[in-house]
Amino acid sequence: MKKSLLFALAVIVFTFSTVIAQEKTVLSAQIYGYQRDMVYFDCLQTPLIAQEFHTNPGEEHIYGFECDNLVCMTINGRTSVLLQPGDSLHVNVNYDGKNVKVEYSGTERAVNNNRLMKSIESLKQSLRYKKQLLGCVALDIKPKTRIDDSRILLEKAKAIIDRSKASVEAKNYVMALIDYDVYMSFMEYPVMYASVRGEEVENQGIGDYWSIMDGYVTRTDTESLLCPEYASFLMRYCFYMNEKAAREEGKEYNMPKMMEDMYKELASFYSGEQRDVLLYTLLRNFIMNGQEVERADILYKEYIEKYNNNKFYRSILDMLLQ
């Protein structure tokens, strides 16, 4: 009887240990043609997930960690990969000057998710879609052209995402990245072009600038809100919509530049998880900038008391404020 009980307990312990092991997320990479001394793995969602290795061409760099949701890791700040809890992904990275060739292997979900990311990057390259808006201004790409190109990108990207075998979570994250590219171009580029090139928004041939975002519904799924680029978009969208409302009332609007003013507008405009993640992001970025950190103390206390629901956000801020 005792032997049977001990055997049963051993099976339970072994099974539990196996489940825990399967939940560990693993990123490995082999790097070729890299000219710096250290290889870096960094997580865009949290500074707590990070690793560095001495560069050794062909050596497999392996990093195992735990995560509760999808994360986006960067390899040397240039190559982005998606990982979900329990994924195992191996990446071969070959540097050839400014060009980087990437190949994936590992668990099926991880490979499918990152092939989707790669497909979107290939689409942007085929469309010659520039990532940086200032670069577009420097090349004198007209606002109407940028907006038309963005609409084409949106349509083609949606088709690729629909056909992809990637997980729903990865599709959400990638769609958030597309929304950032497209709708930041709608809101930001005409104003930027006018500021640098001197051509007023009304004369750019884009139609009514203040109707350009009509019909857009902001994303609320977990993965989109985990996307740093989408958080930046939501902040800009808040200021755009508040300026639009002010104009309709015949009032003057000044976009907030101080952290405290940004916090106030975001807290008033958004609610729920969107507000939680945006106020956290604003405070985290300000604290990590390392200047006048004491200014964040009062807002941090209010954020924790009134708006914070995600304990993970609080743990990161607590760590940064220590």
Side-chain angles (χ1 to χ4, degrees), residues 190-205:
V191 177
M192 183 184 296
Y193 189 89
S195 175
V196 176
R197 291 285 179 177
E199 184 174 47
E200 296 298 325
V201 173
E202 293 80 4
N203 301 325
Q204 292 174 3

Side-chain angles (χ1 to χ4, degrees), residues 14-76:
F14 175 77
T15 303
F16 181 75
S17 300
T18 302
V19 171
I20 295 296
Q22 289 174 342
E23 285 302 306
K24 192 138 191 178
T25 305
V26 179
L27 172 63
S28 62
Q30 288 172 284
I31 315 285
Y32 301 92
Y34 187 60
Q35 301 302 316
R36 298 188 179 181
D37 295 333
M38 302 294 292
V39 170
Y40 297 97
F41 291 177
D42 294 292
C43 178
L44 297 183
Q45 284 66 44
T46 169
L48 299 179
I49 298 177
Q51 188 60 274
E52 59 185 50
F53 310 87
H54 289 285
T55 300
N56 189 2
E59 180 180 340
E60 186 176 20
H61 306 301
I62 304 174
Y63 178 42
F65 57 91
E66 294 180 359
C67 57
D68 295 326
N69 293 301
L70 177 146
V71 295
C72 183
M73 301 289 293
T74 63
I75 301 173
N76 297 329

Side-chain angles (χ1 to χ4, degrees), residues 231-287:
S232 296
F233 160 76
L234 287 176
M235 291 182 187
R236 184 65 180 90
Y237 180 76
C238 166
F239 306 145
Y240 169 89
M241 294 300 290
N242 282 346
E243 184 174 3
K244 179 181 179 180
R247 290 173 64 89
E248 290 173 350
E249 295 177 8
K251 298 178 181 178
E252 185 178 351
Y253 176 84
N254 293 310
M255 187 181 299
K257 294 182 174 62
M258 300 291 287
M259 184 262 296
E260 293 84 353
D261 296 331
M262 292 181 182
Y263 177 97
K264 188 181 298 184
E265 281 207 34
L266 293 171
S268 298
F269 188 82
Y270 289 106
S271 62
E273 185 61 26
Q274 285 182 324
R275 177 167 56 194
D276 194 358
V277 71
L278 290 176
L279 297 184
Y280 155 73
T281 300
L282 182 69
L283 290 170
R284 183 198 64 189
N285 291 348
F286 184 82
I287 294 167

Side-chain angles (χ1 to χ4, degrees), residues 101-144:
K101 183 179 179 181
V102 181
E103 296 177 347
Y104 310 107
S105 59
T107 53
E108 183 177 8
R109 180 177 65 182
V111 171
N112 287 337
N113 289 350
N114 286 283
R115 283 178 178 167
L116 171 60
M117 287 270 283
K118 189 175 182 180
S119 295
I120 296 299
E121 286 303 311
S122 296
L123 171 65
K124 291 178 183 179
Q125 290 174 8
S126 70
L127 296 174
R128 296 184 178 180
Y129 190 84
K130 303 295 182 185
K131 292 183 179 181
Q132 300 296 329
L133 293 181
L134 279 175
C136 294
V137 176
L139 293 171
D140 199 17
I141 296 174
K142 304 300 182 184
K144 185 178 186 307

